[in-house]
Amino acid sequence: MFTRSFRSARPGRRRAVRAGVVAALGVAAASLLGVGTAAAAPVTCVSPPSDNQILVSDTASCGATAEIGSTARSSASESGTAVSVAKAAGAAEAQATGFGTALSAARDGGRSFAYALGGGLSHSSAQGPSVITLSLAGWGSGATADETGVTCIGAQSFAVNTGSGQWCAVGVGSTRR
């Protein structure tokens, strides 16, 4: 009888554990993505239509500049700083939240993405028609993806360069500089 009553209690317990795990994962994802109360209104810079756009809202700032035939986009919230530059048919995107800094540059048809979430430092640069670079850094971490290699520092870091085939994550797999 003891075994039977224990088994009947298990399904309810499993549901509660699953719900707790899902809630914990949601909180972790929200903290990684920098979701929370913002100290400054988000700003978004886009080029074109502007040749060189710079916006500041309290402590958040962004900048975007692109030549004709290229696109640059950056956005920042809270105390983030994001800058993107594109030349010669390149496409660059940078996003920063918290105290993060994201820098992105692309040229000669390359595509570059830099994301600094909740305080990370992220730098991405792509050069070449089929090259895509991505750097992602969370709080207390840094990531770089450019022509010279990839670098990841800290537990919340990821970088990839499709032109060289290099990638790194959580501080492992970085190339020498």
Side-chain angles (χ1 to χ4, degrees), residues 107-163:
R107 64 186 222 187
D108 300 329
R111 298 188 58 157
S112 173
F113 303 91
Y115 301 100
L117 308 173
L121 177 59
S122 180
H123 168 259
S124 181
S125 176
Q127 180 178 355
S130 61
V131 175
I132 299 172
T133 58
L134 167 71
S135 60
L136 172 67
W139 185 83
S141 298
T144 300
D146 61 20
E147 297 81 23
T148 62
V150 294
T151 303
C152 294
I153 299 172
Q156 297 179 359
S157 61
F158 176 77
V160 65
N161 180 334
T162 63

Side-chain angles (χ1 to χ4, degrees), residues 38-145:
V43 289
T44 300
C45 298
V46 180
S47 177
S50 174
D51 289 339
N52 184 20
Q53 185 174 33
I54 300 170
L55 297 174
V56 177
S57 174
D58 294 328
T59 55
S61 58
C62 68
T65 184
E67 290 180 347
I68 294 173
S70 303
T71 59
R73 178 180 170 84
S74 61
S75 61
S77 63
E78 300 164 358
S79 296
T81 302
V83 178
S84 60
V85 177
K87 295 182 176 185
E93 181 176 328
Q95 293 185 13
T97 65
F99 293 97
T101 301
L103 308 172
S104 180
R107 64 186 222 187
D108 300 329
R111 298 188 58 157
S112 173
F113 303 91
Y115 301 100
L117 308 173
L121 177 59
S122 180
H123 168 259
S124 181
S125 176
Q127 180 178 355
S130 61
V131 175
I132 299 172
T133 58
L134 167 71
S135 60
L136 172 67
W139 185 83
S141 298
T144 300

Side-chain angles (χ1 to χ4, degrees), residues 11 15 27 31-32 48 56 67-68 72 89 92 94 99 175:
R15 281 188 220 125
V27 170
S31 67
L32 178 65
V56 177
E67 290 180 347
I68 294 173
F99 293 97
T175 56

